[in-house]
């Protein structure tokens, strides 16, 4: 009888220890992705200094960085964002045991000049860094949660008002929601993974 009780306590201790370590690893990896996204957005906050010198406006423009370079400030912004993200998430396909397939699904630059807001949307940020377009009035309104007056967008941090030139990005990734125990090894491994999103917007100020 005593042996059975001890065995039960040992099994319970192993179970709760496994759950604790699983959740700790999960939180650690999630925080790393969260921090990597913020750092990458800061890396992409590169403004047109010529525009700033002439008008005083802080903008990420469609102008070429130099006459000898086809790269624009917009494409440079995303390239630097992507470079920083890759540096922080070395292997986005297999990022630890609990998170995998981290991918950029949305990248938007909001330019604010006085009371005017415009946006540039990257068409396929995961595979084509150079393809972007200026948002139409309808696209711009849809970015603001169908509220073009308040100019607010929803992020993982909550609802954010666009009042200054800002950079927005959204990541999707697959999160393992259940640890592997002996009794659930027969469960379809695909069912243990869920696709989640993480989005953030940072404003550029002087």
């Amino acid at each position: 009888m005593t042996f059975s009780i001890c065995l039960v306590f040992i099994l319970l201790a192993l179970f709760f220890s496994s759950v604790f370590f699983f959740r700790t690893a999960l939180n650690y990896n999630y925080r790393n992705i969260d921090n990597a996204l913020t750092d990458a957005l800061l890396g992409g906050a590169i403004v047109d200094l010529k525009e700033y010198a002439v008008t005083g406006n802080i903008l990420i423009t469609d102008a070429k960085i130099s006459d000898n370079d086809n790269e624009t400030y917009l494409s440079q912004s995303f390239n630097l964002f992507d470079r920083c993200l890759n540096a922080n998430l070395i292997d986005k396909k297999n990022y630890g045991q609990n998170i995998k397939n981290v991918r950029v699904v949305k990248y938007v630059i909001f330019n604010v000049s006085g009371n005017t807001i415009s946006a540039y949307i990257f068409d396929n940020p995961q595979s084509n860094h150079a393809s972007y377009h200026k948002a139409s009035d309808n696209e711009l309104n849809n970015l603001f949660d169908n509220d073009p007056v308040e100019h607010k967008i929803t992020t993982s941090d909550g609802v954010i008002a666009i009042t200054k030139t800002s950079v927005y990005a959204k990541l999707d990734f697959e999160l393992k929601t259940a640890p592997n125990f002996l009794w659930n090894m027969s469960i379809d491994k695909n069912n243990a993974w869920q696709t989640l999103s993480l989005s953030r917007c940072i404003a550029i100020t002087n």
Side-chain angles (χ1 to χ4, degrees), residues 95-113:
Y95 185 68
Q97 296 180 338
N98 303 320
I99 294 176
K100 65 181 182 180
N101 293 334
V102 182
R103 51 201 179 274
V104 185
V105 296
K106 202 166 190 178
Y107 192 79
V108 181
I109 291 174
F110 295 96
N111 280 320
V112 180
S113 177

Side-chain angles (χ1 to χ4, degrees), residues 145 153-160 162 168-169 198-202:
D145 299 329
I153 61 171
T154 300
T155 71
S156 298
D157 299 318
V159 179
I160 306 295
I162 303 297
Y168 168 91
L198 180 65
S199 58
R200 178 152 296 137
C201 185
I202 65 161

Side-chain angles (χ1 to χ4, degrees), residues 124-180:
N124 190 356
Q126 183 61 29
S127 59
N128 189 343
H129 298 182
S131 178
Y132 58 82
H133 69 278
K134 187 175 182 178
S136 65
D137 290 340
N138 187 52
E139 286 178 307
L140 187 62
N141 291 340
N142 288 334
L143 288 172
F144 295 134
D145 299 329
N146 295 319
D147 188 352
V149 177
E150 293 294 331
H151 299 145
K152 293 180 179 179
I153 61 171
T154 300
T155 71
S156 298
D157 299 318
V159 179
I160 306 295
I162 303 297
T163 59
K164 298 180 183 297
T165 293
S166 305
V167 184
Y168 168 91
K170 179 182 178 181
L171 304 179
D172 278 0
F173 56 92
E174 293 178 41
L175 181 74
K176 190 175 184 180
T177 56
N180 291 328

Side-chain angles (χ1 to χ4, degrees), residues 30 34 52 58 62 70 84 98 108 138 148 153 179 190 192 194 200:
Y30 185 87
D34 192 10
Y52 180 67
I58 296 176
D62 195 26
N70 288 326
C84 289
N98 303 320
V108 181
N138 187 52
I153 61 171
N190 292 327
Q194 290 186 5
R200 178 152 296 137

Side-chain angles (χ1 to χ4, degrees), residues 41-117:
L41 284 169
L42 291 172
I46 303 298
V47 302
D48 186 339
L49 294 179
K50 296 177 183 176
E51 175 74 23
Y52 180 67
V54 174
T55 66
N57 292 324
I58 296 176
L59 302 173
I60 302 175
T61 68
D62 195 26
K64 290 183 179 180
I65 296 173
S66 69
D67 294 335
N68 300 322
D69 193 346
N70 288 326
E71 188 175 39
T72 65
Y73 287 96
L74 286 163
S75 59
Q76 182 190 53
S77 171
F78 183 78
N79 286 333
L80 291 173
F81 164 85
D82 191 59
R83 196 181 306 168
C84 289
L85 190 65
N86 286 328
N88 285 304
L89 304 178
I90 298 172
D91 187 352
K92 292 190 291 187
K93 286 292 183 183
N94 295 288
Y95 185 68
Q97 296 180 338
N98 303 320
I99 294 176
K100 65 181 182 180
N101 293 334
V102 182
R103 51 201 179 274
V104 185
V105 296
K106 202 166 190 178
Y107 192 79
V108 181
I109 291 174
F110 295 96
N111 280 320
V112 180
S113 177
N115 296 321
T116 303
I117 299 178

